[in-house]
Amino acid sequence: MRKLALNDEILLKIDKAARYIGGEVNSVMKDKDKVDLRFCMAFPDVYEIGMSNLGMAILYDSFNKREDIWCERLFSPWTDLDKLMREQNIPLFALESQDPVKDFDMLGITLGYEMCYTNVLQLLDLSGIPLKAEERGEDFPVVIGGGACSYNPEPLAPFFDLFYIGEGEISYNALFDAYIENKKAGGSKEDFLKKAAQVPGIYVPSFYEVAYKEDGTIASFMPNRPEAPEKVEKQLIVDMKKDYNVLESPVVPFIKATQDRVTLEIQRGCIRGCRFCQAGMIYRPTRERDVETLKKAARTMLKNTGHEEISLSSLSSSDYTQLKELVTFLIDEFREKAVNISLPSLRIDAFALDVMSKVQDVKKSSLTFAPEAGSQRLRDVINKGLTEEDILHGAGEAFEGGWNRVKLYFMLGLPTETEEDMKGIAHLAEKIAERYYEIPKDKRNGKVQINVSTSFFVPKPFTPFQWAPMYREEEFIEKAKIVKNEIRSQLNQKSIRYNWHEPDVTVLEGFLARGDRRSADVILKAYEKGALYDAWSESFHYEIWKEAFAETGMDIEFYTLRERNTDEILPWDFIDAGVTKEFLIREWNQAKNETVTPNCRQRCSGCGARKYEGGVCFEGKN
């Protein structure tokens, strides 16, 4: 029987002790003496968030299918346990075995969003692992980074031995084989890293040298070992039927997770090409999963978990060509079992409304639109592919179907934005309210409620807007005030509620998203000064970060306010993410010209993803 790493006295003191005890339904237990490699898979946020991460669930299942590997889970301890572990010198431990993390062969950390970077250092620190890779000897785990943020790994480069670029199902087996072979041969960590650098998709930061110009931009970025390639190519599944790891028995959390349901990933990638969206670029080309496989997986996962809700996961579910067949099946199959069906990322059309009326309580639910910009001009700039007519038509159909609540999501600070664009947010909300009151009074479902939310734009790597400037904190606040005042001047202002994202978090996110290796000094200093859980508003303290910038001599505005030239070497240029730089430059110019680029099913835009020889690029050509 396992012994818990935390005694009863500690478990009774902390919030949600079930986060730390493991032993959940479908968690994997193995004999650690009968495996060749122990892998600790970490998510740098609390249990409830990490347990909702589909990528982590898929890889956990995939790795554990190998008899010679035991993959265990790890999440960031909340601040109450963090404090106790430091006071009592308790080393951080994995959930399944409750063994210290530093006893593992590999520590893989999922990097899903920039604001978790100080939590990455927390995981290393509490594990007793030196924060910088160069300070780790042979006795410490190999530290690996992966996930969306690994497409610009440079701000974290000094803390990691290597990064995996792309979808984990492809090259991890080769990486594991190289490690096991090196271990059995008595090779050193350096020997393994040389082998790892030759595995497709693997980036070893210590094998590259960066030089800077006097103006602070990058002069050169080159490998310093013959084993390291000049370009690291992202890895992705092309054949979703043959190579996709079908998840059948996901771990069932002891406590309610953020996404407490069965998740069916119906496709990867997106055909839309929104110019601000990193996911829409780095996960190209769009690849659909087989509908019959999805039907079988839905039955199996519900049976193996006991969950009472199933959600379809995709960047744009409406673009899945078999959506109607799949949703009809789910409704018919699980109606009598009272299984709820969640359909995020849908465009609001007649089919979507018909489906939602069958799976939701119309009186309780609200509809979500993401126009992103207040004017058609700016929607064309960002290539949103959504017209005001589309929005008003969808809202009208919804109102006539009984809905009376709408959520609208916008961004402020987009490239070329004008005051008229900002005021357009209020005007669009007003038009939607007016559309509701066109319905005869006796057919309305009470008063209309429109919730308008604005976030502030952050330029991300591998998007056409990666060269764009941002704004200062006070400028973002001024933009929000313009929207707020314009909403107050509308006839239906009482029906419109407005809230906006914190601008200080946005500015910091912008720095971390496009930072280079020098950014690591700021992250380390902020962590040493107490920064932790920066993604949580109650834990985020911008003053700490301001002090860190001052003490390291780093100029945040160099990274946030400056528009880049398209010939500048960017920190992530050594990665081949599938979309070419030529395509991104072309789209950047299209944005400035307010020109719309058709989606992938309308016309190929020559982004570079055809080289993978699969997915939407080859639909109907087999």
Side-chain angles (χ1 to χ4, degrees):
M1 184 176 172
R2 311 178 300 156
K3 181 182 178 183
L4 295 180
L6 303 176
N7 61 39
D8 290 349
E9 185 182 351
I10 291 175
L11 290 170
L12 289 169
K13 280 183 183 177
I14 58 177
D15 184 38
K16 298 180 181 176
R19 289 167 169 163
Y20 311 108
I21 61 175
E24 308 99 319
V25 172
N26 297 331
S27 59
V28 177
M29 295 300 295
K30 296 187 180 184
D31 184 341
K32 64 186 175 185
D33 297 322
K34 293 183 180 179
V35 296
D36 295 321
L37 188 154
R38 297 187 68 189
F39 189 98
C40 185
M41 183 177 291
F43 193 90
D45 209 324
V46 288
Y47 176 91
E48 300 93 303
I49 304 288
M51 284 299 292
S52 303
N53 184 271
L54 179 61
M56 190 170 176
I58 289 172
L59 292 183
Y60 176 83
D61 180 76
S62 173
F63 295 175
N64 277 315
K65 282 177 178 171
R66 284 186 55 153
E67 291 184 4
D68 57 348
I69 291 169
W70 186 11
C71 177
E72 302 184 43
R73 294 162 298 137
L74 170 69
F75 305 97
S76 284
W78 186 243
T79 53
D80 54 354
L81 181 56
D82 178 287
K83 183 171 182 287
L84 287 169
M85 292 180 80
R86 293 177 195 276
E87 289 173 353
Q88 300 186 29
N89 293 316
I90 300 169
L92 194 57
F93 52 92
L95 290 188
E96 279 74 4
S97 66
Q98 299 279 297
D99 286 346
V101 174
K102 64 183 177 184
D103 292 348
F104 283 69
D105 297 298
M106 291 183 173
L107 170 60
I109 304 177
T110 300
L111 305 170
Y113 35 89
E114 292 84 359
M115 302 311 293
C116 74
Y117 286 178
T118 51
N119 279 59
V120 170
L121 300 189
Q122 177 210 31
L123 292 175
L124 295 172
D125 195 11
L126 290 177
S127 299
I129 298 171
L131 299 185
K132 291 196 172 180
E134 65 186 15
E135 297 169 1
R136 292 177 210 135
E138 299 291 328
D139 297 332
F140 293 101
V142 174
V143 181
I144 307 171
C149 289
S150 64
Y151 282 85
N152 178 21
E154 288 304 278
L156 291 174
F159 311 120
F160 283 82
D161 295 302
L162 56 87
F163 289 88
Y164 184 110
I165 314 297
E167 297 171 1
E169 296 98 328
I170 301 300
S171 289
Y172 260 117
N173 280 325
L175 188 70
F176 294 154
D177 291 342
Y179 183 88
I180 293 168
E181 179 188 320
N182 186 67
K183 186 179 179 181
K184 288 180 177 176
S188 66
K189 183 180 280 189
E190 175 81 3
D191 294 330
F192 166 65
L193 292 178
K194 286 178 179 178
K195 288 181 169 67
Q198 298 172 69
V199 173
I202 300 299
Y203 166 53
V204 181
S206 61
F207 287 3
Y208 294 79
E209 297 290 340
V210 191
Y212 300 93
K213 298 178 182 178
E214 283 188 17
D215 65 0
T217 59
I218 295 174
S220 64
F221 187 103
M222 296 296 293
N224 59 23
R225 302 280 201 293
E227 293 85 0
E230 284 195 25
K231 280 273 187 182
V232 178
E233 294 192 25
K234 83 167 179 185
Q235 301 302 294
L236 84 167
I237 294 175
V238 177
D239 188 336
M240 294 290 276
K241 194 166 186 178
K242 180 170 71 76
D243 298 321
Y244 187 90
N245 179 59
V246 178
L247 185 60
E248 295 184 336
S249 301
V251 180
V252 182
F254 274 141
I255 58 176
K256 185 173 174 60
T258 308
Q259 304 291 331
D260 198 22
R261 57 183 74 113
V262 159
T263 302
L264 269 187
E265 185 180 26
I266 60 175
Q267 63 183 6
R268 288 185 184 173
C270 181
I271 65 172
R272 294 286 149 188
C274 297
R275 292 173 180 137
F276 58 84
C277 181
Q278 185 186 52
M281 296 294 165
I282 63 176
Y283 296 125
R284 288 185 174 212
T286 302
R287 293 146 289 147
E288 295 192 348
R289 291 189 62 199
D290 173 64
V291 68
E292 295 304 322
T293 304
L294 288 168
K295 291 176 185 177
K296 182 181 176 184
R299 286 195 194 100
T300 304
M301 283 200 287
L302 285 169
K303 177 185 174 185
N304 291 342
T305 62
H307 280 304
E308 297 175 336
E309 184 171 343
I310 191 162
S311 175
L312 305 187
S313 172
S314 165
L315 292 173
S316 180
S317 298
S318 293
D319 294 321
Y320 177 62
T321 55
Q322 304 297 312
L323 183 67
K324 194 165 189 174
E325 180 181 344
L326 178 60
V327 170
T328 301
F329 163 81
L330 293 175
I331 291 172
D332 293 344
E333 181 79 4
F334 303 115
R335 181 185 286 117
E336 292 181 6
K337 297 176 183 176
V339 172
N340 294 322
I341 301 168
S342 173
L343 300 164
S345 307
L346 280 182
R347 286 197 308 280
I348 306 302
D349 55 21
F351 167 67
L353 292 170
D354 179 54
V355 168
M356 283 187 280
S357 67
K358 292 176 181 175
V359 300
Q360 293 181 1
D361 181 341
V362 173
K363 291 181 179 179
K364 293 180 181 177
S365 64
S366 62
L367 293 176
T368 300
F369 293 90
E372 308 294 0
S375 70
Q376 192 58 49
R377 184 201 72 81
L378 194 52
R379 283 194 290 276
D380 291 345
V381 167
I382 65 176
N383 207 49
K384 181 59 187 174
L386 187 67
T387 65
E388 184 174 293
E389 184 182 356
D390 294 334
I391 298 164
L392 294 177
H393 179 75
E397 290 213 348
F399 294 151
E400 287 170 6
W403 274 272
N404 68 342
R405 293 195 294 161
V406 174
K407 293 178 183 176
L408 299 173
Y409 290 105
F410 297 90
M411 277 187 283
L412 290 171
L414 287 161
T416 80
E417 181 183 66
T418 66
E419 188 171 320
E420 282 307 303
D421 297 322
M422 297 175 227
K423 290 181 176 178
I425 292 172
H427 302 160
L428 182 57
E430 173 67 16
K431 287 176 183 176
I432 291 172
E434 289 173 353
R435 177 66 185 85
Y436 181 79
Y437 289 114
E438 288 175 7
I439 299 172
K441 195 169 184 178
D442 60 332
K443 294 183 179 179
R444 293 179 207 155
N445 183 17
K447 292 184 177 180
V448 71
Q449 182 181 316
I450 299 169
N451 293 310
V452 174
S453 294
T454 58
S455 59
F456 298 115
F457 165 68
V458 176
K460 294 294 178 84
F462 295 108
T463 68
F465 288 165
Q466 65 182 1
W467 294 282
M470 289 180 68
Y471 292 89
R472 291 184 176 88
E473 186 182 347
E474 58 270 22
E475 292 174 308
F476 278 133
I477 293 171
E478 190 56 39
K479 289 174 181 292
K481 284 180 180 176
I482 289 171
V483 176
K484 184 179 181 180
N485 291 336
E486 194 67 15
I487 286 175
R488 284 179 172 172
S489 69
Q490 302 306 305
L491 185 65
N492 289 291
Q493 57 159 305
K494 290 183 179 178
S495 297
I496 306 170
R497 294 178 183 174
Y498 177 50
N499 62 78
W500 63 88
H501 191 60
E502 300 92 340
D504 48 5
V505 175
T506 301
V507 172
L508 182 57
E509 184 184 334
F511 163 73
L512 296 173
R514 293 191 294 182
D516 51 40
R517 282 195 189 186
R518 297 168 295 188
S519 308
D521 292 339
V522 180
I523 298 169
L524 179 56
K525 180 62 71 174
Y527 174 71
E528 290 171 346
K529 295 176 76 66
L532 194 64
Y533 282 105
D534 296 301
W536 295 67
S537 56
E538 66 264 39
S539 304
F540 178 65
H541 303 290
Y542 195 34
E543 288 306 314
I544 291 177
W545 284 91
K546 286 180 178 178
E547 290 170 12
F549 279 105
E551 291 178 26
T552 55
M554 290 283 284
D555 178 12
I556 189 172
E557 294 187 351
F558 174 80
Y559 296 91
T560 56
L561 299 185
R562 186 174 60 87
E563 180 173 338
R564 280 75 167 151
N565 293 318
T566 52
D567 58 357
E568 179 180 327
I569 297 175
L570 301 173
W572 51 89
D573 275 349
F574 70 94
I575 295 173
D576 178 356
V579 291
T580 65
K581 200 164 189 179
E582 292 73 24
F583 165 73
L584 295 176
I585 291 171
R586 192 163 68 243
E587 282 294 288
W588 179 221
N589 291 326
Q590 291 275 74
K592 291 175 179 176
N593 294 329
E594 302 173 12
T595 305
V596 171
T597 298
N599 73 57
C600 297
R601 286 205 173 98
Q602 292 174 322
R603 189 182 75 210
C604 177
S605 57
C607 73
R610 276 185 68 87
K611 72 177 183 179
Y612 297 108
E613 299 185 352
V616 68
C617 310
F618 286 81
E619 277 182 359
K621 297 180 177 62
N622 296 331

